[in-house]
Structure formats: structure tokens, C-alpha cells
Amino acid sequence: MTKHIAILGSTGSIGTQTLDVARANTDKLTVEVLTAGNNADLLIKQAREFKPNAVVIADETKYEQVKQALADLDVKVWTGTQAIEDVVQMSTVDTVVTAMVGYVGLSSTIKAIEAGKNIALSNKETLVVAGELITELVAKHKVKVTPVDSEHSAIFQCLVGEPEVEKLIITASGGPFRTKSIDELRTVTPQQALKHPNWNMGAKITIDSATMMNKGLEVIEAHWLFDIPYEQIEVTVHPQSIIHSMVQFVDGSVKAQMGLPDMRLPIQYALSYPYRWPSTFGRIDFKNQQPLTFEAPDLEKFRCLALAYEALGKGGNMPAIMNAANEVAVAAFLKERIGFLDIANTIEKTMQQMPFVKNPTYTDYVETDKESREFARNIVGKII
């Protein structure tokens, strides 16, 4: 049975790798929709290759460029963020790959769920910001959510047929600064932070990996995806990135999902589940594999992970506050406006000062995000 997919964020790291999977499985996947933020050139190239039903360029200044470049094809071209919310509801789409990065992916994911579309979830901020709301909507509209993140895909695979869970163990590479001291972290540059030792990811996610906020976001996402209390979700540093995560069961047995660090594998599994499609992806050569090691994360050095646990423990709109401050701080660091350690400082101050809402509505999430970003920007402005 062919799946008809919409890829939100098709020009980003996850989006382009999803198209790699589609390219290798043309008999199983049909690309119906492609959306991009402002990378018009790549979106045009993708549309000419895959000939989707529709494309959306969020940046309205790029609309004419995309429209004219695709004028000879039977492809609908739309623009603006509202168009992304509309296009996920198309009757020809049955699965939406949410590959957009950050809070911006929340509203379109909600619209897709409300339209009864199954979700291949890469946009972890959707569950970080509004996990309770998303969980309720998924149950109400009876849609399936399959994780794309390698860690959550690993857990998902380990849980098949296994209800008696004691603990989830999310692995972390430790990023490029695992062995650096706090003093050394004060002077690291964005260029250094963007050199991840194992994975090829977008800039924002790579910085989150360097601060270990990425693991914090994944803990929150795992809590909502698998309905596991945060006290039973552990992070362990595994520098080789061969074991992508593990599940410990009530009898003490542990299952681990392993594979080379290649995002195409979890992307394909999210789209193929409950089946496994053949692939030409690389295989582990255990005869020549370096030793696999594990260590505890340093929560004093990587405070973002501790802040994420704190936000999840408090609940309500606190994860939304944390996420908004993190996005602002990461953007400022990438522009060299603040230092690496200022990222955690900005998040912590924002969490301490923003109003707490115990049972937020969608409107509360939107307001929380807006106000938290403004507060964080003020903090960043004073650091300069």
C-alpha cells in the first residue's frame, strides 16, 4: 500500500533525508506536499524531481520565484504560514512528516492531527511545548504518531510487544564539548559548536546537542510519546552513537536498538511501521567496531539538561517557557551575540521570571511563547 506524504520542512536536514528515503522507495511512497521556510532554490529543485501535488514557501517574498520556476508543471504553489496549516489537511495526504525545527511546527502539526493525518514526528518542540494538548488530540482523532528522532525510534522499536517497562534510557553522544571543562566552555565559538562528532544535523539542533538541551527536549518528548514518568527516563552519554537508546524492563532485562548514526534509518522505519523495508543503508561491522562506552552526563557543566528535567517536573507551561528561551538564546549564540554558557543562563532566568500556568490552553501556549521570547531577548540584549 502506497503512503501519500507531506514533508513539512523539506529543505532541512530531516526533510532532505526523508526525500532520500522516498527516492529509494518510489513504489511505497508518493510525495504529495513539500514545504520550506525560505530556501526557494532547493524547494524548486525538489519539486521538479518529485512533482508533488502542492508546494508551500513560507517566505512570501520568494513566492513569485517559486511560482514562475514551476509554471510548466502541474504543481500548486502557495505561500505563507497559513498555507502550511491548510496544505496538511489535503485529502490526498495520509501521513505528515513534521520536519520543521522549533516552535513554528506546532500549529501545522495540530491542524494535521485534527484532519486525521498520521504523524511521522521529527519536530520534538511540538510535544515539548504542548505535550498534554497533543496527546489529547491524538486520542480524540485516533491518529498514529511514529517518532522520527533516532532515540525515540529506538525506544519505540524496543517497546514493540513489551508493556512492562521499568526505565527508558536515552543515549547522548555528549556533543563536541563532552571532555571540555566549564572554563573552556566560556570561550567556545559557534563554529566549534557546529562540529558534531557523529551526526550531520541543522544548526539549531547541533547547538542543542552541544549544550545537551537536545537530550532535555528528548526526555520531555519521551514522557509524552510513551506515557512514562520523567523519574523513569534516564540519559546516559554514549560517545560512539551506535546504541540509539535502550529500555529496561521490570525483570531487569534491557533491550537496545543499534545502528550506524544515519537518520535515514529511523525516518524509513517511521514511514514503514509496522513493516521493515529493505535498504542499502550502512551496516555495523562488529568485527571492527570500536568499544562501546557509557558515562553519566555532567549536569553542572551541561545545565540545559537539568533545566529541562526541572521544566518537565513542574509541568504546565514551564516547558514552553524553557523552549522559547532556548530558541532565542541559541539564535543569539549563533550570531555571536552571547557566549555558550549564556544559553543556559538565559533559559534559567526566563524560567524563574515568567508567569506559571498550571493547566494551559492552546491560547496560553501561544502567549507563553510570545512573552517568553520577548523576555529572553531582553536578557540577551543586556549581555551584549
Side-chain angles (χ1 to χ4, degrees):
M1 179 178 175
T2 301
K3 289 189 177 181
H4 298 261
I5 64 174
I7 305 174
L8 309 186
S10 67
T11 60
S13 176
I14 296 297
T16 54
Q17 291 178 88
T18 301
L19 288 175
D20 285 343
V21 172
R23 196 175 285 115
N25 294 279
T26 55
D27 57 328
K28 303 179 186 74
L29 296 173
T30 297
V31 178
E32 289 285 339
V33 172
L34 298 172
T35 82
N38 55 27
N39 192 339
D41 292 337
L42 184 52
L43 179 63
I44 291 165
K45 182 179 179 181
Q46 292 174 341
R48 297 201 69 84
E49 177 182 356
F50 289 92
K51 298 178 176 57
N53 192 331
V55 300
V56 179
I57 182 76
D59 185 345
E60 297 182 9
T61 66
K62 305 288 183 67
Y63 172 65
E64 285 299 329
Q65 177 190 350
V66 176
K67 183 179 179 181
Q68 292 177 19
L70 301 178
D72 61 320
L73 300 180
D74 185 20
V75 177
K76 303 177 186 70
V77 180
W78 293 315
T79 187
T81 54
Q82 180 62 49
I84 298 176
E85 295 182 16
D86 294 339
V87 80
V88 297
Q89 303 175 60
M90 289 174 57
S91 60
T92 54
V93 171
D94 54 58
T95 301
V96 177
V97 181
T98 60
M100 300 165 75
V101 177
Y103 171 83
V104 69
L106 175 61
S107 60
S108 54
T109 304
I110 288 175
K111 291 296 183 182
I113 293 170
E114 290 176 339
K117 312 301 183 183
N118 293 325
I119 306 296
L121 184 69
S122 174
N123 178 259
K124 58 176 64 69
E125 289 85 358
T126 292
L127 287 177
V128 170
V129 171
E132 188 170 4
L133 173 62
I134 295 298
T135 301
E136 292 172 356
L137 288 172
V138 166
K140 177 181 178 181
H141 295 282
K142 297 181 174 60
V143 302
K144 297 176 182 177
V145 177
T146 50
V148 166
D149 274 354
S150 62
E151 296 82 1
H152 301 94
S153 176
I155 293 169
F156 186 77
Q157 293 177 60
C158 290
L159 286 175
V160 173
E162 297 276 13
E164 304 298 333
V165 176
E166 185 171 277
K167 180 169 62 175
L168 306 183
I169 304 168
I170 297 175
T171 57
S173 69
F177 305 140
R178 180 175 62 88
T179 60
K180 287 187 178 295
S181 68
I182 291 179
D183 284 340
E184 288 175 312
L185 291 180
R186 297 183 196 283
T187 57
V188 299
T189 66
Q191 291 72 30
Q192 291 172 312
L194 288 169
K195 292 179 180 178
H196 194 281
N198 299 331
W199 295 95
N200 180 20
M201 306 176 290
K204 194 269 183 182
I205 297 174
T206 304
I207 300 302
D208 280 348
S209 178
T211 65
M212 290 199 72
M213 174 56 85
N214 206 34
K215 293 302 126 179
L217 300 180
E218 288 169 9
V219 167
I220 299 174
E221 185 180 3
H223 165 71
W224 292 112
L225 273 174
F226 307 115
D227 192 24
I228 299 291
Y230 74 94
E231 298 93 341
Q232 293 170 243
I233 305 174
E234 178 182 297
V235 173
T236 186
V237 176
H238 168 53
Q240 296 79 28
S241 296
I242 294 297
I243 293 178
H244 299 300
S245 277
M246 298 174 273
V247 177
Q248 181 171 300
F249 300 96
V250 293
D251 61 355
S253 178
V254 177
K255 275 188 178 181
Q257 188 270 331
M258 306 173 72
L260 294 175
D262 184 340
M263 278 305 301
R264 295 173 300 171
L265 179 56
I267 291 168
Q268 178 165 300
Y269 188 75
L271 293 171
S272 69
Y273 179 79
Y275 308 104
R276 287 188 184 272
W277 298 339
S279 82
T280 58
F281 306 148
R283 270 60 171 169
I284 301 172
D285 181 358
F286 286 99
K287 298 185 298 297
N288 296 307
Q289 174 60 45
Q290 61 183 310
L292 304 182
T293 61
F294 306 90
E295 60 194 62
D298 186 336
L299 297 183
E300 291 186 11
K301 189 164 63 173
F302 298 104
R303 289 170 48 230
C304 285
L305 177 55
L307 290 170
Y309 269 106
E310 179 183 327
L312 179 56
K314 187 147 190 186
N317 69 333
M318 190 57 69
I321 294 170
M322 178 207 71
N323 181 73
N326 180 60
E327 290 191 13
V328 168
V330 169
F333 173 69
L334 283 168
K335 294 177 182 176
E336 300 186 21
R337 296 174 60 195
I338 63 174
F340 185 78
L341 296 180
D342 291 324
I343 296 174
N345 293 335
T346 300
I347 297 167
E348 184 173 38
K349 290 177 182 177
T350 307
M351 289 173 62
Q352 290 172 344
Q353 296 299 319
M354 291 302 301
F356 175 67
V357 180
K358 185 176 182 180
N359 298 299
T361 63
Y362 177 69
T363 301
D364 291 325
Y365 288 127
V366 173
E367 286 301 309
T368 293
D369 181 79
K370 179 181 177 182
E371 293 172 7
S372 299
R373 286 174 190 276
E374 183 177 350
F375 189 88
R377 289 189 190 102
N378 287 334
I379 296 173
V380 167
K382 293 175 183 177
I383 293 173
I384 297 174

